[in-house]
Amino acid sequence: MIIDSLLPLLLLLFQVPATAILLSRLLKGPMRHPPLQPQQPTPEMLGSVSIVVPTLNEALRISPLLAGLSQQSYEVREIIVVDSRSVDGTPDLVKAANTKDPRFRVFTDDPLPPGWVGRPWALHNGFLQTAKGSKWFLGMDADVQPHPGLVASLVETAEAEGYDLVSLSPQFILKYPGECWLQPALLMTLLYRFDSAGVNSSQAERVMANGQCFLCRREVLGAVDGYSSAKGSFCDDVTLARNVAAQGFQVGFLDGAKVLKVRMYEGAWETWKEWGRSLDLKDASSRAQIWGDLWLLLAVQGLPLIVVLSYLLISPPIHLTMSLLLGLNIFLLIIRFALLLAIAPSYDRTNSQGGWLFWLSPLADPLAVLRIFLSAFRQPREWRGREYADMVSG
């Protein structure tokens, strides 16, 4: 009987503080910055933005980005594609875009030096190539599909709100059944650990960012020596944003679901492999932060489904402690399904196969939390076609 009461008590002690932290974050939601809307540029924005896009064998998915960037207006001075020796014809697509829009240009970066990860190296080289007359640097990934008015909206928001750096969460495009089920559960690990997009963190070490659409004042990026401070990071966007925030600059992470879409990975396996191993954010976090986040995820996202299903299958004796434990985990599951409704606008399932599996994604939560645990203390050895056998974690 003592043993039957002890385990529920220990689980309660494990989960209750984490639940309090989660609720304190979710209560900020109603006060968050509204999603960005497409904007028309104003005359003072003329030529104020240099866009840099890192590429490595992106021929199959870069065309929507090139088309979307060509629709941005006179606020964009130049669009620099930094290619890392693609062998699939990526540079040829950029050169073709240049024949219609002279703002496009492509150059090949130097071989990757020791200690650098490919993406920040390409972005750093692109930053060094940007025109000194540009006020803003905008890093974008090849998988982004920007709407007209995106860049003007970003600049207008940054100027109005006083941001030195602002990045956007996109609307994710889902296509296949496995990713419709798994990807929202993986995204939820971020929402549980950090404030939602539109809620600014007052702590530099808790700042969030998304390098898929990453706007920074050019002088601020120069003050931190470009991407050098994030050179060895596999989550360089978050690492750089936290370094910028630590220097006292204003950093924002906002909802961009109405101004850009992203098609990140093809299928559940690629989503698990590629996105799952960077979601731990270990390169931008202290060891204590990592352990704290793992505890929180396990307590409020990984365990509730397991606890409730275990009760239904085993039917243990009901007593006060067990009743409290069951009630808490049912409450956490209710929160989880409510959050699913909240993030639904962040997904485009228009042409997806098995899009209804999105609504069953809470069943993938234990798997998503497991993925974060598996990658939290393991440094990637391969990333986007590059090998990093000599990289050292931490």
Side-chain angles (χ1 to χ4, degrees), residues 40 48 73 81 105 114 126 171 228 231 255 276 298 327 338 367 384:
Q40 291 297 319
S48 62
S73 192
V81 177
R105 60 189 174 99
Q171 185 180 53
S228 296
K231 65 181 182 180
D255 186 346
L298 180 60
L367 193 63
R384 292 290 193 182

Side-chain angles (χ1 to χ4, degrees), residues 160-177:
E161 303 291 338
Y163 290 122
D164 299 297
L165 187 161
V166 60
S167 61
L168 301 181
S169 64
Q171 185 180 53
F172 298 96
I173 301 171
L174 298 178
K175 287 188 177 181
Y176 302 116

Side-chain angles (χ1 to χ4, degrees), residues 100-113:
K100 300 177 181 179
D101 188 338
R103 293 178 297 178
F104 285 100
R105 60 189 174 99
V106 61
F107 79 92
T108 302
D109 55 4
D110 293 330
L112 193 65

Side-chain angles (χ1 to χ4, degrees), residues 54-283:
T55 60
L56 175 59
N57 297 324
E58 301 286 4
L60 294 179
R61 58 180 185 170
I62 197 175
S63 292
L65 172 71
L66 300 179
L69 291 181
S70 69
Q71 294 176 0
Q72 306 303 310
S73 192
Y74 55 75
E75 71 278 9
V76 177
R77 176 191 296 264
E78 57 189 351
I79 304 164
I80 303 170
V81 177
V82 185
D83 190 70
S84 300
R85 294 171 176 76
S86 295
V87 296
D88 66 347
T90 298
D92 295 331
L93 293 175
V94 182
K95 292 173 184 177
N98 170 262
T99 63
K100 300 177 181 179
D101 188 338
R103 293 178 297 178
F104 285 100
R105 60 189 174 99
V106 61
F107 79 92
T108 302
D109 55 4
D110 293 330
L112 193 65
W116 281 83
V117 173
R119 186 177 183 279
W121 172 246
L123 287 164
H124 185 74
N125 277 271
F127 167 65
L128 297 178
Q129 294 288 324
T130 55
K132 290 182 171 57
S134 292
K135 184 176 181 180
W136 295 96
F137 167 94
L138 175 56
M140 299 194 77
D141 281 357
D143 54 9
V144 171
Q145 301 180 16
H147 301 335
L150 161 66
V151 178
S153 178
L154 261 174
V155 173
E156 191 278 332
T157 301
E159 295 281 10
E161 303 291 338
Y163 290 122
D164 299 297
L165 187 161
V166 60
S167 61
L168 301 181
S169 64
Q171 185 180 53
F172 298 96
I173 301 171
L174 298 178
K175 287 188 177 181
Y176 302 116
E179 66 192 73
C180 289
W181 181 67
L182 177 62
Q183 213 260 30
L186 288 169
L187 177 65
M188 195 61 64
T189 67
L190 290 176
L191 189 58
Y192 275 24
R193 284 178 285 166
F194 305 99
D195 292 327
S196 60
V199 178
N200 293 332
S201 175
S202 59
Q203 300 174 292
E205 65 273 14
R206 304 304 294 179
V207 161
M208 269 301 297
N210 178 22
Q212 292 168 323
C213 186
F214 190 93
L215 183 77
C216 186
R217 294 185 191 273
R218 193 176 183 280
E219 62 181 9
V220 170
L221 197 53
V224 296
D225 194 20
Y227 277 76
S228 296
S229 65
K231 65 181 182 180
S233 175
F234 289 93
C235 56
D236 56 271
D237 45 6
V238 179
T239 300
L240 182 58
R242 292 179 179 179
N243 290 339
V244 168
Q247 296 295 318
F249 297 108
Q250 186 69 24
V251 176
F253 178 56
L254 305 179
D255 186 346
K258 296 184 178 181
V259 290
L260 78 159
K261 295 182 180 181
V262 168
R263 175 65 184 149
M264 288 181 64
Y265 301 115
E266 297 293 326
W269 170 245
E270 192 173 313
T271 301
W272 169 274
K273 179 184 175 185
E274 299 290 345
W275 200 33
R277 64 183 172 185
S278 63
L279 280 174
D280 54 75
L281 305 183
K282 58 179 172 291
D283 294 337

